[in-house]
Amino acid sequence: MPSRHYNSPVPAETAVPVVIEVGAHRVFASSVDWPGWTRSDRDEERALSALSAAAARYLPVAEGAGEAFSGMRSHALQVVERLPGSATTDFGAPSAIATSEHEHPSPATAARLVRLLDGTWSFFDRVVASAPQTLRKGPRGGGRDRDAIVDHVLKAETAYAGKLGLRLVAPRLADSAAVGAHRQAITATLLGPAPPDGGGTRSWPVRYAIRRLAWHVLDHAWEIEDKAGRATE
């Protein structure tokens, strides 16, 4: 399916490559080169609008990783691939692996992507440190408070690590040293050599794993930010 530009007629070489994942009820738009910069909505047009709108929120993540964020120079989003979604897509998580993500990245590319993943963790930690424990609830009283969200993120990352062939135990959220070691174990694997033919015990390629990890971290960091704005102790 041919690619197209969204919101700007700029040349393809200056546009931001985006992968679209289409579920029955939800569509995800994900930047190929900026892990964590992912948004979703009911259809492709809305998902791309949400991604464009989130550029300003992603900027401090990129800056924290020492990267000049091209998404702020132009909101031209070029759809380079459309992928069929699944029940996981409709549940609320990007689950389709892009064609480009099957290729093991070069050491330089892996290092850059891991820096950005580290940037999402650093951003998440800052948001958590500044947020109240009690967060605004939904209209029916639903939703988790700050520490429950942090615990959920740590447990999810432990499950994600299993997709990389790692067997980790989720650290306690109060143990910052254990959290750091947990993250270092994940990034060491992401920066390691390509697995042998067949992938060994890995079921997620590196680029997709980084995109999924970074999306989950930022999605919940932004959730905490949004809910902390009107939180009551």
Side-chain angles (χ1 to χ4, degrees):
M1 187 174 292
S3 63
R4 69 177 178 84
H5 289 144
Y6 173 75
N7 236 16
S8 177
V10 299
E13 61 269 17
T14 63
V16 177
V18 172
V19 169
I20 296 293
E21 178 178 334
V22 183
H25 307 291
R26 184 184 292 264
V27 174
F28 277 90
S30 298
S31 167
V32 173
D33 299 320
W34 299 98
W37 190 23
T38 295
R39 293 284 84 191
S40 68
D41 213 309
R42 291 179 295 169
D43 57 39
E44 180 175 320
E45 198 72 16
R46 287 183 174 90
L48 286 165
S49 287
L51 186 68
S52 181
R57 297 189 86 170
Y58 190 83
L59 179 61
V61 175
E63 289 181 335
E67 296 287 336
F69 182 41
S70 63
M72 290 303 295
R73 293 198 300 269
S74 170
H75 282 188
L77 306 177
Q78 183 190 17
V79 177
V80 295
E81 188 172 9
R82 291 180 177 85
L83 303 164
S86 64
T88 302
T89 313
D90 289 323
F91 182 74
S95 62
I97 300 172
T99 301
S100 62
E101 291 173 329
H102 286 285
E103 183 178 350
H104 195 77
S106 68
T109 297
R112 176 185 175 275
L113 295 175
V114 166
R115 282 197 303 273
L116 287 162
L117 173 60
D118 281 333
T120 68
W121 278 327
S122 296
F123 180 80
F124 181 80
D125 291 345
R126 293 194 301 272
V127 169
V128 169
S130 64
Q133 159 59 20
T134 303
L135 301 177
R136 175 177 56 86
K137 300 299 186 291
R140 297 184 180 180
R144 291 174 287 220
D145 285 322
R146 183 198 64 198
D147 289 353
I149 293 174
V150 176
D151 186 60
H152 163 72
V153 170
L154 291 172
K155 288 178 178 176
E157 288 176 353
T158 302
Y160 292 172
K163 302 292 188 179
L164 295 168
L166 293 172
R167 291 188 176 183
L168 301 178
V169 176
R172 292 183 299 108
L173 60 91
D175 190 341
S176 58
V179 172
H182 193 262
R183 293 170 175 173
Q184 287 173 6
I186 293 172
T187 56
T189 297
L190 294 170
L191 291 170
D197 291 344
T201 57
R202 297 188 192 183
S203 57
W204 282 0
V206 166
R207 291 190 68 124
Y208 171 73
I210 294 173
R211 174 163 67 90
R212 179 71 175 266
L213 280 157
W215 159 77
H216 195 244
V217 172
L218 271 191
D219 194 55
H220 286 297
W222 291 341
E223 176 192 3
I224 292 172
E225 278 191 325
D226 293 342
K227 291 182 176 180
R230 287 181 283 170
T232 57
E233 292 286 10

